[in-house]
Amino acid sequence: MFTTDQWQTGKKVIETLNQHGFEAVFVGGAVRDFVRCKIANDIDIATSALPSEVKSIFKRTVDLGLAHGTVLVIENHVPIEVTTFRTEGQYTDHRRPSDVRFVQSLEEDLKRRDFTMNALAMTAEFQLVDLFDGQRDLHNGIIRTVGEPSDRFKEDALRMLRAIRFSAQLGFSIEDTTLGAIKLCANDLAYVSVERLTAELEKIWLSTHLEKGMTYLGQSQLAKHMPGDFSFEDEKWGYLGNPQNVLVCWAFLCLLQEKPNGSEVATVFKLSNDIKQQINYLVNATQIRCERIFTIHDLYQFEENILVKAEHLARVLCSDIQHMPTETIVQRKQALPIQSIRELVISGQDVMEWFNKPGGPWLKETLSQIELAVLHQKVANNATKLKEWILNESNSEI
Ligand code: ATP
Ligand code: MG
């Protein structure tokens, strides 16, 4: 595991800090992933050096929040976050400490971390520093807070949702006292910003153990305190499988409502306009699919990825429909004579010339008449044929 560029560079950064007389270790998710023999997302280093000292030691650095003690060190093109050992002052808003104090002790730094598995540290010689039995919990697949769980959740309510997110990502169980404390503190979720809730929720949905996460969300009572009035507790989450796709999950959340409304979900969870639009398409396509097999028009109207996702959702939500394999949907879609109006071989200019008329509302109508005729194979997508057909059609209309 230590052969990748990232780890080698991290080791070098630690050794350099050590040579300058500072303590430095790997910390956080990277160590957790290392012990589990998994590839780490990013590598974090904690050190006794102050941010200014870190900056003076390394050539290329970027300030990432000096108040929190984080400097990004770039070595061999690999960015590594180096954060000064710190403790946190009083939590006054259930989310953020009122102040952060830099300290010289690694133990103090590890104590403020959320879960035992996240409070492991490792030296450049790959020796683990395990002050809270993090290895034991990792091996047993247990999520447990460092210290008294209700105190830790009172300090920072986001940790409750992080516990659920890690259970979904790792397939771990939440230790009983920790889960009990979440139930007690669940209404503090109101202190967490919607953006952070959305980010954690999406991480749960992208996890391999989505069902476990959603079950814990209900069991821990956090579901009841999520914004809006959505069905986070519906047992159908258990049938969704493992889509690893947030669009599918947002649409599913909508469709579990009596009156599905993608825009409402997007507003409550502060989603981008782009995803809002995609949710609306997917909700719409799924509702159609629950009523009928996709028609030529449906296949034309929706993008392939929406059709395939709608088929999946319809299967979960409307169990009586006959399943259509993805390949069949894709083949049918691809077999359409055109995929969009842009694929017509003629343009509005051609049509104006044929009719010898300037543009106007009639032109848009005529083009869409041509589009439909080509789509339904009444006429080939060929300039001569199209001209003949449309002039004929308009004559017969008169
Ligand atoms: P990921 O693989 O998702 O990045 P991670 O464990 O690295 O997981 P981060 O959010 O990147 O999670 O945080 C890095 C470390 O900082 C954590 O491992 C944990 O030790 C600590 N940490 C992060 N958020 C909190 C929090 N809200 N309360 C206490 N400690 C935290
Ligand atoms: Mg991380």
Side-chain angles (χ1 to χ4, degrees), residues 101-116:
R101 264 178 300 123
F102 297 140
V103 290
Q104 289 296 305
S105 135
L106 171 62
E107 182 178 352
E108 284 291 307
D109 183 273
L110 295 178
K111 238 200 231 152
R112 71 164 171 93
R113 293 176 183 270
D114 49 6
F115 305 111
T116 57

Side-chain angles (χ1 to χ4, degrees), residues 139-252:
H139 289 132
N140 294 331
I142 300 278
I143 297 169
R144 183 197 312 267
T145 51
V146 172
E148 177 57 35
S150 46
D151 292 347
R152 305 308 312 281
F153 295 138
K154 283 277 168 217
E155 283 172 358
D156 178 358
L158 180 69
R159 289 174 187 151
M160 299 189 284
L161 204 53
R162 281 175 60 89
I164 312 274
R165 184 255 284 192
F166 284 119
S167 84
Q169 286 179 329
L170 309 174
F172 284 13
S173 301
I174 302 177
E175 179 268 330
D176 284 349
T177 327
T178 302
L179 184 60
I182 301 182
K183 288 182 195 165
L184 283 177
C185 303
N187 54 2
D188 285 356
L189 202 63
Y191 294 114
V192 181
S193 73
V194 170
E195 288 84 350
R196 300 197 84 115
L197 293 180
T198 297
E200 290 299 326
L201 190 58
E202 290 193 339
K203 285 185 187 176
I204 294 174
W205 287 342
L206 289 171
S207 301
T208 19
H209 303 274
L210 177 150
E211 183 183 355
K212 187 164 196 144
M214 295 311 284
T215 305
Y216 268 136
L217 202 63
Q219 233 180 322
S220 65
Q221 308 296 318
L222 288 180
K224 291 192 174 48
H225 298 279
M226 291 298 276
D229 193 15
F230 300 101
S231 304
F232 287 103
E233 287 180 89
D234 200 300
E235 60 175 24
K236 290 202 183 81
W237 283 102
Y239 310 138
L240 193 58
N242 183 18
Q244 301 199 315
N245 181 285
V246 296
L247 172 58
V248 168
C249 296
W250 286 120
F252 190 65

Side-chain angles (χ1 to χ4, degrees), residues 28-30 32 41-44:
R32 182 191 70 224
N41 288 335
D42 42 29
I43 290 181
D44 295 324

Side-chain angles (χ1 to χ4, degrees), residues 51-59 61:
S52 55
E53 293 168 325
V54 174
K55 283 168 69 177
S56 69
I57 292 172
F58 297 95
K59 245 199 217 128
T61 61

